[in-house]
Amino acid sequence: MALALARPRTISALGWLRITLRLCAMLALLLACVPLYYLHRLLRLHNPWPRIFLGGVAWIAGISLSYHGQKVQRGAFLLANHVSWMDIPALAWASGTAFVAHDGLAAMPLLKSLCEMNDTVFIARHDRASIAKQIADVRTALSDTGALTVFPEGTTSDGTGLLPFKSSLLSAIEPIPEGIAVQPVLLDYGSEAAEVAWVGEEHGLDNFLRILARSRPVRLSLHFLEPLSGAALTNRKTIAAAAREELLQALTR
């Protein structure tokens, strides 16, 4: 982690009230979306419900989104910096993207089920035998959502800089299918980045509750940068290096 800092866990009574109301709203949204998801799946219709659910989670959590640039519409691998769990619902709502995740998440049945509804591609970095399945999952995710997001840092940073990019996390998108763009996306939480980031020794649940207890909105700017081209697309190492450079330049503007 970029910041070895444990956050205070004290939450006020009013904060706990906000947490309770927001959790109830998220649960109600989930119960409404799941049957509609399976109905659309049964009828083999385009399934908007994962995006609607994740967008609702972002709104309930108090995320205020602004947009800069445009997401490639014809299909894209999005390479984004990673600051918080809020990155996922925000990006899903903004672009309809699916995500690449470490296969450790698949060990948690409920979380795995929710991830699979949004066509998450689970990466087993040390299992070369799974490469063919990963490629098939990538193509499925792209055909269903039109976009697939990778967080090449492999973990969250404090939002004020970038960690090294791990090109191994891009193995699932190599080779790049024909007609698919590779587009860097900067998630900028502004002056509050270090405050809302999930870093250091803070437990994930503590960070989740701390965000839900806030009275102020979490302001997040999404910057869709120009897609990579030319020599930058040679292989996953050049992709990782070029994407990190583009994000660094955007972060320091």
Side-chain angles (χ1 to χ4, degrees):
M1 297 297 182
L3 186 63
L5 175 66
R7 308 277 188 182
R9 300 187 182 186
T10 302
I11 296 175
S12 68
L14 191 55
W16 280 110
L17 177 60
R18 293 190 194 99
I19 290 170
T20 301
L21 293 175
R22 283 171 167 161
L23 286 176
C24 288
M26 289 178 185
L27 179 59
L29 179 63
L30 178 63
L31 294 176
C33 288
V34 167
L36 293 168
Y37 166 83
Y38 282 109
L39 176 62
H40 277 64
R41 184 175 178 181
L42 180 65
L43 298 176
R44 298 182 182 276
L45 300 173
H46 171 68
N47 214 320
W49 296 105
R51 182 177 185 177
I52 291 171
F53 171 70
L54 289 168
V57 167
W59 181 79
I60 292 167
I63 302 173
S64 176
L65 284 174
S66 62
Y67 305 90
H68 306 269
Q70 293 186 336
K71 174 195 164 288
V72 172
Q73 297 301 317
R74 66 183 181 271
F77 290 126
L78 305 179
L79 305 186
N81 60 312
H82 199 12
V83 180
S84 165
W85 60 270
M86 293 180 289
D87 302 346
I88 293 171
L91 272 171
W93 176 243
S95 66
T97 183
F99 295 88
V100 171
H102 189 271
D103 62 345
L105 292 177
M108 294 174 272
L110 177 59
L111 185 56
K112 180 185 178 183
S113 296
L114 292 174
C115 289
E116 287 177 339
M117 287 182 183
N118 195 46
D119 293 317
T120 297
V121 177
F122 294 105
I123 298 298
R125 279 178 279 177
H126 304 296
D127 182 7
R128 301 300 299 175
S130 69
I131 294 296
K133 182 180 184 304
Q134 290 173 16
I135 293 172
D137 289 345
V138 163
R139 295 182 184 278
T140 297
L142 286 170
S143 65
D144 287 350
T145 68
L148 182 66
T149 295
V150 183
F151 297 113
E153 291 168 295
T155 186
T156 50
S157 73
D158 67 2
T160 63
L162 295 177
L163 300 175
F165 278 15
K166 299 177 180 178
S167 63
S168 61
L169 294 175
L170 306 183
S171 61
I173 68 172
E174 187 185 35
I176 300 169
E178 185 177 353
I180 300 298
V182 179
Q183 184 174 28
V185 182
L186 176 68
L187 293 95
D188 184 3
Y189 288 87
S191 60
E192 288 196 296
E195 169 62 26
V196 301
W198 174 22
V199 291
E201 298 177 0
E202 184 179 32
H203 192 279
L205 179 60
D206 289 341
N207 180 271
F208 180 69
L209 295 176
R210 184 165 59 80
I211 298 301
L212 295 191
R214 286 171 57 99
S215 59
R216 303 189 312 278
V218 177
R219 302 193 183 280
L220 170 58
S221 296
L222 295 179
H223 298 259
F224 292 93
L225 308 180
E226 287 297 313
L228 302 182
S229 61
L233 299 175
T234 302
N235 54 51
R236 56 189 170 92
K237 290 186 177 181
T238 61
I239 291 171
R244 188 175 188 276
E245 180 60 29
E246 290 294 321
L247 291 174
L248 270 177
Q249 290 184 17
L251 188 62
T252 55
R253 284 174 192 159

